């Protein structure tokens, strides 16, 4: 984890970062916050050197310079950390905006009070004539109006920063989502699969069935590629992806595990249900026909998959869970392909049952 500070430490770094940010020409956006948080916390020595050099030569940090420093020294942030920074800056902007609004209201009330006081002095209700305003009252009123104008400008800047922060958060969220999706099939990619399986196994698993894991591999895929070309191979992969997406719903996750191998995570499905789904998917692929590209388009059949299934055993790691499903997959291939194989449970588990 990049940031391992306690709540008290991070709160102090936040205070210092905000103070530094307010002295610059750059906007109050996540890039600025990330730069100054790492600067004041002392965790990024290269950034400190580069930022000090910039301030020595230029005096202040503008937006282009802030972005350049961010991309050069901070941009290896993972997406989740960037989202957390976006949230922090969003909350910070909201809090400062609320404070500025309150200060603006107070300044307006103060200005109104001064003007009423000045009018009372000049036009007393029970006096024969007006009296001159106290020395300096006009300067105080002018200064108060200047303060109101400055606060109004600050509120506008904060409103713009708030919109920019929200847009940045949305961009990071989209980038994170795209980073977890396989471009060809539209399913989760390997990283998306790993995250989904980790999240599944970290949950408090019920005493009931599940989770189960399906490992799916296209049979003789290299021969398909060699015979009909890689473009046709891509169409086959995309077609299998469509079938999985249409039949794997809810909290279940379908993923392209790598190459011609797919995986399906079934968090709450019993062994029998997993076998039933696997058989349905196998039959669906076997019945499919994929059209070739080019001038002589042909419908190609005889496309099949082999599927291995494992149901989770309490205490095993994700790697062990995947390995058992993989062993079942290769057993299915060894038995003739185009079939489903259920992995046996470990012997100790069988004896206990």
């Amino acid at each position: 984890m990049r940031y391992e500070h306690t709540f008290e430490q991070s709160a102090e770094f936040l205070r210092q970062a905000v103070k530094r940010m307010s002295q610059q020409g750059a906007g109050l956006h996540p890039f600025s916050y990330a730069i100054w948080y790492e600067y004041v916390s002392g965790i990024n020595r290269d950034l400190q050197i580069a930022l000090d050099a910039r301030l020595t030569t230029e005096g202040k940090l503008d937006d282009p310079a802030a972005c350049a420093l961010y991309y050069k020294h901070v941009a290896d942030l993972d997406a989740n950390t960037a989202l957390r920074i976006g949230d922090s800056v969003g909350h910070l902007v909201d809090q400062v905006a609320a404070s500025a609004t309150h200060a603006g209201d107070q300044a307006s009330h103060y200005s109104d009070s001064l003007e009423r006081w000045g009018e009372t002095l000049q036009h007393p209700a029970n006096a024969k004539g007006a009296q001159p305003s106290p020395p300096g009252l006009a300067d105080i009123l002018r200064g108060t109006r200047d303060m109101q104008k400055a606060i109004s400008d600050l509120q506008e800047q904060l409103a713009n920063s708030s919109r920019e922060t929200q847009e940045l958060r949305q961009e990071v969220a989209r980038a994170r989502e795209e980073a977890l999706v396989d471009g060809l099939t539209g399913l989760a990619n390997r990283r998306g699969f790993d995250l989904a399986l980790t999240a599944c196994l970290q949950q408090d698993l019920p005493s009931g069935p599940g989770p189960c894991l399906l490992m799916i591999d296209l049979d003789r895929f290299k021969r398909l590629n060699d015979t009909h070309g890689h473009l046709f191979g891509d169409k086959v992969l995309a077609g299998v992806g469509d079938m999985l997406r249409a039949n794997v719903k809810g909290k279940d996750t379908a993923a392209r595990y790598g190459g011609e191998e797919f995986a399906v995570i079934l968090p709450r499905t019993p062994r029998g249900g997993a076998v039933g789904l696997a058989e349905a998917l196998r039959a669906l692929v076997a019945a499919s026909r994929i059209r070739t590209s080019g001038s002589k388009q042909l419908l190609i059949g005889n496309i099949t998959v082999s599927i291995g299934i494992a149901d989770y055993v309490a205490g095993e790691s994700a790697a062990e869970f995947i390995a058992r499903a993989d062993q079942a997959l290769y057993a299915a291939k060894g038995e003739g392909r185009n079939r489903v194989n259920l992995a046996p449970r470990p012997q100790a588990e069988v004896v206990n049952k």
Side-chain angles (χ1 to χ4, degrees):
M1 180 178 177
R2 189 183 183 96
Y3 304 109
E4 298 181 347
H5 306 121
T6 65
F7 177 84
E8 291 76 13
Q9 288 174 325
S10 60
E12 174 59 20
F13 295 146
L14 169 64
R15 184 190 66 78
Q16 295 180 34
V18 171
K19 181 179 179 180
R20 296 273 191 165
M21 289 167 65
S22 65
Q23 298 169 350
Q24 308 306 314
L28 302 176
H29 45 61
F31 287 0
S32 291
Y33 178 67
I35 290 168
W36 286 108
Y37 185 95
E38 296 209 359
Y39 181 91
V40 300
S41 63
I43 66 172
N44 194 330
R45 180 59 180 163
D46 291 338
L47 172 65
Q48 287 179 313
I49 294 172
L51 187 46
D52 285 338
R54 172 76 190 189
L55 294 178
T56 299
T57 57
E58 302 295 335
K60 283 189 176 182
L61 197 65
D62 57 15
D63 275 323
C67 290
L69 287 169
Y70 173 85
Y71 283 118
K72 184 173 182 179
H73 297 286
V74 189
D76 59 336
L77 290 175
D78 61 88
N80 288 330
T81 301
L83 284 171
R84 287 195 295 272
I85 288 177
D87 284 335
S88 298
V89 174
H91 293 319
L92 170 64
V93 170
D94 289 342
Q95 291 171 1
V96 175
S99 298
T101 299
H102 179 70
D105 292 341
Q106 293 297 317
S108 180
H109 293 323
Y110 180 60
S111 176
D112 291 344
S113 297
L114 286 175
E115 289 182 352
R116 286 196 299 270
W117 179 46
E119 290 175 358
T120 300
L121 291 174
Q122 292 179 4
H123 307 287
N126 299 316
K128 293 182 179 180
Q131 297 182 9
S133 300
L137 178 60
D139 292 337
I140 295 174
L141 284 170
R142 186 164 48 252
T144 303
R145 294 191 186 99
D146 290 342
M147 180 174 63
Q148 287 178 291
K149 177 63 169 57
I151 292 174
S152 177
D153 292 343
L154 174 61
Q155 288 173 321
E156 183 177 353
Q157 293 175 9
L158 289 170
N160 292 333
S161 295
S162 180
R163 286 192 294 271
E164 291 174 3
T165 299
Q166 182 61 26
E167 290 171 0
L168 284 169
R169 288 197 72 258
Q170 292 172 351
E171 289 176 9
V172 171
R174 283 194 296 270
R176 181 181 185 276
E177 182 177 347
E178 291 172 0
L180 301 179
V181 174
D182 176 63
L184 178 62
T185 64
L187 303 177
N189 61 16
R190 176 60 185 273
R191 175 164 172 75
F193 167 83
D194 289 339
L195 291 174
L197 184 60
T198 299
C200 174
L201 299 184
Q202 284 180 345
Q203 294 176 354
D204 292 331
L205 299 175
S207 57
C212 285
L213 176 63
L214 277 57
M215 298 300 291
I216 306 168
D217 191 76
L218 278 158
D219 296 326
R220 297 186 174 90
F221 185 69
K222 183 179 184 302
R223 189 167 68 183
L224 277 174
N225 270 335
D226 292 343
T227 303
H228 302 289
H230 289 281
L231 288 178
F232 178 77
D234 286 347
K235 291 185 71 173
V236 172
L237 293 171
V240 173
D242 290 340
M243 296 177 205
L244 290 175
R245 191 164 48 253
N247 290 275
V248 177
K249 303 288 187 179
K251 295 182 179 179
D252 301 339
T253 300
R256 184 181 178 191
Y257 191 75
E260 66 270 24
E261 192 169 6
F262 298 83
V264 177
I265 304 169
L266 306 169
R268 297 292 181 266
T269 302
R271 289 158 59 98
V275 171
L277 174 62
E279 286 288 2
L281 291 171
R282 182 201 60 76
L284 189 63
V285 174
S288 67
R289 300 291 184 272
I290 305 294
R291 189 177 299 276
T292 60
S293 303
S295 57
K296 296 181 179 180
Q297 293 188 353
L298 301 173
L299 284 175
I300 304 299
N302 297 321
I303 299 168
T304 63
V305 294
S306 298
I307 304 177
I309 306 170
D311 61 325
Y312 184 70
V313 175
E316 71 179 340
S317 66
E320 292 168 336
F321 191 25
I322 295 171
R324 287 200 300 115
D326 253 338
Q327 290 169 3
L329 167 63
Y330 289 111
K333 285 186 171 293
E335 294 167 5
R337 298 182 175 84
N338 189 24
R339 63 186 60 222
V340 172
N341 187 283
L342 178 62
R345 296 175 69 84
Q347 189 62 33
E349 185 73 13
V350 175
V351 171
N352 289 338
K353 290 177 71 72

